[in-house]
Amino acid sequence: MKASRSALRFVLSACLVLPLAAVKAQTAAAVAPQYLGVADPALDARVEPLLRTMTLDEKVGQLVVYSTGQPTGPGTGRTDYEDMIAKGQIGALFNTTDARDANKYQRIAVEKSRLHIPILFGLDVIHGLRTEFPIPLGLASTWDTEIVEKAARVAARESSAIGVRWTFSPMVDISRDARWGRMAESAGEDPFLGSAIAAAYVRGYQGSRLDAHDSIAACVKHYVGYGAAEGGRDYNSTEISEHTLRQFYLPPFRAAIDAGSATLMSAFNSLNGIPTSANPFTLKQILRKEWGFRGIADSDWTSVGELIAHGIANDGATAARKAILAGVDMDMVSSLYHDHLARLVQNGQVPESEIDESVRRVLRVKFALGLFEHPYADETKEAAAMLRPEHIQLAREAAERSFVLLKNSAGPRGAPLLPLSQSVGIVAVIGPLASDTTNMLGSWSAQGKPEDVISLQSALTAKIGKENVLYGKGSGITDGSDQEIEDAVATARKADVLILALGENAYEMTGEGSSRAKLGLPGRQQELLEKIVATGKPVVLILFSGRPLTLPWAFEHVPAVMAAWFPGIQAGPALVSTLFGESNPSGRLVVSWPRSVGQEPLYYNALNTGRPPGTTDLTRPPDRNSKYMSRYIDEQNTPQFPFGYGLSYTTLRYGPTTTSIRQLNASDLNAALHDGQHKVLTVSAQVTNTGTRAAEETVQLYIGLRGTSTAQPVRALKGFQKITLAAGETKNVSFTLTPEALAIWNDQNQYAVEAAQVKLWISPDSAQGTPAELEIVP
Ligand code: BGC
């Protein structure tokens, strides 16, 4: 925890007009590249003459994307890429493996194709290339945009060294449903936090100049609503009202684009009956017209071809026509643009001007990246770019800061069990993930290698010595025998403290195509947990997962529980420094942690309903007054742990929230609404570290509005700051708000401030705090 971080203030304005100004204030040195967001005459001056020399087939070629590697869906069966590149039939390739591989294809494009237009090489670099950082859900749990930006910069340096100048990241889908496996790739459920993190990734990948040799183009995805898949089942349909779309789902996309994201990926899901890879409302009206996006809109893997399965096209030609006319510039893997676009133009079904616009966007990005000047990666520098000591150090810091301490109750000496003392005695580390070096990398681990990972067991051994560490596998992740469990229990009996490493399989149970209907521990791990706890020894449970798991038994019976997500290559050292208190946990939940699967989708920024329950205390039978309320008869409404929650090794006290002003005027606020500099209000609270250790605290600001034309969330995050507090120290924490913090999407689908009663909470999470109140008059 560096002192500089206490100065790290992140007071963004609100959802949609998210906050280039605030972002700049946070990182004054980094100027977001503007050439893709606004007209850049210098770039256009290079694009236009080239476009004029292109044949129709060559234009179509620039809109075609293929994969040379690992498929994540049905493929085309094509392998004749070299031939196609020579004919100018491919604009971008992804999944090349190293600089040599990329250069091999690039040489054909640059030397053999008629117009020498370089290929754009892409890859899913989601949380690091070789230096694997925590999965995005873990990175977001740091609530630290600075560390996210730095991690993305490291990923850009390593990726560009292998010739990859385009990453399919950040994924900014709002994720309210833990059944959805791709929650692991997200920044969670909140649009404000998600926007801040989205912008940080883009700044990190693209750097201050996109044409720097170590910058890569971001691709914000999956546009849009993909995370709202019904039932949490991947690829499923979504129904999202325009109001909810604009207020919750779109803001992180807008933030990424305002930060300069060069590209965007359309999604798989249908949105209100129209598939998002052929949706003119989202792709043309919102993205191009309202936001002025001038970068590339790429399809997702075969999402153009999937228009047939969706049922809005009966053949490939119709699918290609619908996608291009809706605004999808590039076709990833379907091959339908390659097969049909030229003929569609010749038949008059697609105007050539549509193709030209898409080609312009592709060429603009290629020029902006400097690919025409520097098409090749330097093969001699590739190895040295990977796993540099500073990259590994950052991976460790990011992992430490991503852990969320969920519970820490009394250990044998009456004090909280964690942190462990240096003279802890014999520690048994038990569970299928205790010595793991594969799952720690997380899903979408690009070129992460198990041999780069330090496991929990080896880091613990390095810390307290082999003689003090016992190990028992206990079970597999999804399987296990009675004997394995018995052996682990016998091992546990010999130890003073037990560390259980349980959770999911990162590849099969989290990420794409990995939705779960059950959110408990898989296999026999729950049984293992209960038998280990029955030994009566103090137990620390470390959960490795890509989502919150429903473990009511564990939260009742295990004294200390920490969510570690999948921490990346420095998993072991980061965990051990946290367990022993050299690092004080500072991660906070970015998703509401459910008690039962039946609560999903579960999110804190929900509406109040017409029948909010006074109590959902299930120990009391519902009386007449509480039965007909919005509640479950067999589960509480509240989450196990709320959004924003996380413990540390100290205790904190929050004073009441105060405001600089008690009344505001809606018409004044509307006049100033789109001026990100306009400060209207200061909100403050005193925060005291009442414990005996220094701490980093994530101070959160929430707003609730009543009396507006559309129902608003009971609370919505509008600011956060990371502060450091020495033991006993008190700080006055202030947030300065602009009108955006008070603006909503109203009943006319307009973004405006309305007359309202306002509550403001400065609090440690989304469920605590004493609010201040103010009024917005018409
Ligand atoms: C995923 C995308 C990914 C693409 C390319 C798709 O299956 O949905 O997130 O970027 O494949 O690998």
Side-chain angles (χ1 to χ4, degrees), residues 70 72-73 94-95 123-124 126 168-169 171 182 185 221-222 226 235 265 268 300-301 332 444 512:
Q70 177 71 23
T72 52
F94 65 108
N95 286 332
L123 189 67
D124 288 278
I126 305 300
F168 304 130
S169 169
M171 185 188 106
R182 304 199 80 169
E185 299 170 51
K221 71 185 188 187
H222 307 82
Y226 181 39
Y235 316 117
M265 187 184 289
F268 290 123
D300 201 348
W301 181 289
M332 180 190 276
W444 292 114
E512 188 174 355

